[in-house]
Amino acid sequence: MTISLKKRVSFDDLVKANRQQILEDRALLDRIEENIEKKYYQSLQEKNKEA
């Protein structure tokens, strides 16, 4: 069983915190991906206007 040295945190608490961080990271990555897609489609639209 792993115990954090800074706080006496149980393994289950560490797993719970890790899962929460993964969910937050996934939400952030989803937002980043959406922004990339928007910029990509905007650049396609601009190229189509120029053509």
Side-chain angles (χ1 to χ4, degrees), residues 16-33:
K16 183 179 177 183
N18 190 39
R19 285 184 180 150
Q20 182 62 37
Q21 189 62 54
I22 289 169
L23 292 174
E24 291 173 14
D25 290 348
R26 182 181 297 163
L28 175 61
L29 290 173
D30 286 344
R31 288 195 303 273
I32 291 170
E33 186 177 15

Side-chain angles (χ1 to χ4, degrees), residues 1-2 4 7-20:
M1 184 183 304
T2 303
S4 172
K7 302 177 192 173
R8 294 276 179 188
V9 180
S10 72
F11 179 76
D12 289 339
D13 289 338
L14 290 173
V15 170
K16 183 179 177 183
N18 190 39
R19 285 184 180 150
Q20 182 62 37

Side-chain angles (χ1 to χ4, degrees), residues 4 6 25 42 47 49:
S4 172
K6 291 182 181 178
D25 290 348
Q42 285 175 353
K47 287 182 182 179
K49 287 179 184 177

